[in-house]
């Protein structure tokens, strides 16, 4: 076989052992040729009425919190009369071998029913009033989509902080400087985008599915602490939480500790129950059974503390900049400095004081009760219209 033919044959093989390393596929096109021009004919329907909204998303897996949030927002937008569609950009190859129909079926199975068409790739692309980037990897493809009136960027976290010094960190920062209106998942995050990158930014409030996450009807245990130990996500500060639980176990060896959020068991210095990646109904049951919860959010807040509070579970969180700005010092949640002793103190105080736990439970239920996905979808709709106004000049 000739050398070139042999190389072509090798290049065409799908070797599951190959390490995928590279930039988003459309990045060079954007850097070379620039974004595809927007359509300038903003119709009355697009400016004031129902919108067609195309949402470009990275690949997903069961338990992907960002995709779950997007599905909740889309259900709210659909209820408000908008036509939405999902476009899955799978540059990681996570969905290789799946038919488009199977990928769509898995999306609905993992994140709930949506009326939206779910596409794998852009073969069926036919334009939209607003095309929406989500993860930073999707921005180059969004900038190259033709037939759109406006672009928006739904930002759920400050993604450069997901990386050390790297090309990925630089590219994530680059996405915020592309003149695309950002719809951020907190006022703190909107402020970061505007102040650091000069981005136009509005915000929405993360919310709770109150049909699922609600106060427990059964009595709670006084001796169970839950920790959201998603170790594959560094911003959840799992090593810090494990040190805090080690200290708590030293003080209260009879307390039962349970870790959830990670598929594989985590090695610890203390005994614990491994709950794995729980389905939403399983999460609600766990939140309804425990005395206290622990979540650590180093960047933007997670949905987890909101859902814990909605179920009446008092919890301890990190006193990070994002959490302090989102909840404030007087919120019904214990914000602890990023120190294992301080975090253990916060949990210890809750465990020692039944009246405090009852107070935090009542206040948390009331606070979370104001966070609905209907209200969040209305805020996102406002952001989409702001993107349209900006595109109109």
């Amino acid at each position: 076989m000739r050398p070139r033919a042999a190389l072509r044959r090798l290049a065409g093989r799908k070797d599951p052992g190959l390490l995928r390393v590279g930039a988003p596929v459309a990045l060079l096109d954007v850097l070379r040729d620039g974004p595809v021009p927007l359509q300038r004919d903003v119709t009355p329907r697009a400016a004031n009425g129902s919108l067609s909204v195309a949402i470009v998303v990275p690949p997903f897996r069961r338990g992907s919190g960002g995709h779950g949030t997007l599905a909740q927002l889309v259900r709210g937008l659909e209820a408000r009369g908008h036509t939405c569609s999902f476009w899955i950009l799978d540059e990681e190859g996570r969905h290789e071998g799946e038919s488009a129909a199977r990928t769509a079926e898995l999306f609905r199975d993992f994140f709930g029913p949506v009326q939206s068409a779910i596409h794998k790739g852009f073969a069926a692309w036919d334009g939209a009033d607003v095309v929406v980037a989500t993860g930073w990897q999707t921005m180059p493809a969004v900038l190259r989509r033709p037939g759109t009136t406006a672009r928006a960027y739904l930002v759920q976290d400050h993604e450069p902080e997901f990386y050390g010094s790297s090309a990925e960190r630089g590219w994530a920062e680059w996405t915020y400087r592309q003149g695309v209106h950002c719809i951020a998942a907190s006022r703190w995050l909107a402020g970061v985008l505007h102040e650091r990158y000069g981005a136009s930014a509005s915000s929405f409030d993360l919310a709770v599915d109150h049909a699922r996450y609600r106060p427990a009807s059964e009595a709670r245990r006084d001796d169970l602490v839950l920790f959201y130990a998603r170790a594959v996500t560094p911003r959840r500060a799992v090593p810090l939480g494990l040190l805090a639980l080690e200290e708590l176990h030293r003080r209260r060896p009879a307390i039962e500790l349970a870790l959830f959020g990670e598929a594989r068991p985590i090695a610890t210095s203390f005994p614990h129950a491994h709950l794995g990646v729980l389905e939403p109904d399983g999460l609600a049951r766990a939140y309804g059974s425990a005395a206290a919860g622990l979540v650590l959010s180093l960047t933007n807040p997670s949905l987890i503390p909101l859902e814990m509070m909605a179920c009446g579970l008092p919890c301890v969180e990190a006193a990070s900049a994002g959490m302090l700005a989102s909840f404030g010092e007087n919120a019904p949640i214990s914000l602890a400095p990023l120190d294992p002793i301080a975090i253990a103190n916060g949990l210890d105080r809750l465990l020692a004081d039944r009246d405090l736990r009852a107070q935090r439970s009542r206040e948390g239920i009331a606070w979370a009760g104001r966070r609905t996905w209907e209200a969040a979808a209305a805020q996102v709709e406002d952001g989409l219209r702001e993107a349209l106004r900006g595109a109109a000049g």
Side-chain angles (χ1 to χ4, degrees), residues 229-294:
R230 186 176 169 86
V232 297
T233 307
R235 64 188 180 279
R236 296 296 161 229
V238 171
L240 174 59
L242 294 179
L243 284 178
L245 293 185
E246 181 179 342
E247 171 64 15
L248 186 67
H249 174 68
R250 185 193 66 80
R251 300 179 190 180
R252 295 175 174 268
I255 287 291
E256 183 174 342
L257 304 172
L259 277 54
F260 71 98
E262 185 64 62
R264 295 174 298 171
I266 296 175
T268 69
S269 63
F270 50 85
H272 71 274
H274 168 67
L275 304 183
V277 179
L278 295 172
E279 296 292 332
D281 289 339
L283 279 176
R285 287 192 295 272
Y287 298 156
S289 67
L294 173 62

Side-chain angles (χ1 to χ4, degrees), residues 45 77 126 143 254 262 294 313 339 362 386:
R45 181 181 65 82
L77 290 172
D126 58 356
L143 292 172
E262 185 64 62
L294 173 62
L313 177 62
D339 172 88
R362 291 191 302 271
E386 191 165 343

Side-chain angles (χ1 to χ4, degrees), residues 52-106:
S52 62
V53 183
I55 302 164
V56 182
V57 299
F60 60 87
R61 58 189 170 192
R62 188 181 295 276
S64 296
H67 290 79
T69 294
L70 290 170
Q72 291 281 14
L73 293 170
V74 161
R75 282 189 281 273
L77 290 172
E78 290 170 343
R80 298 178 70 82
H82 303 295
T83 300
C84 300
S85 57
F86 283 104
W87 302 81
I88 298 166
L89 181 64
D90 185 21
E91 295 179 347
E92 298 177 14
R94 188 176 295 171
H95 302 290
E96 277 186 7
E98 292 174 4
S99 67
R102 176 58 178 162
T103 301
E105 179 185 12
L106 288 173

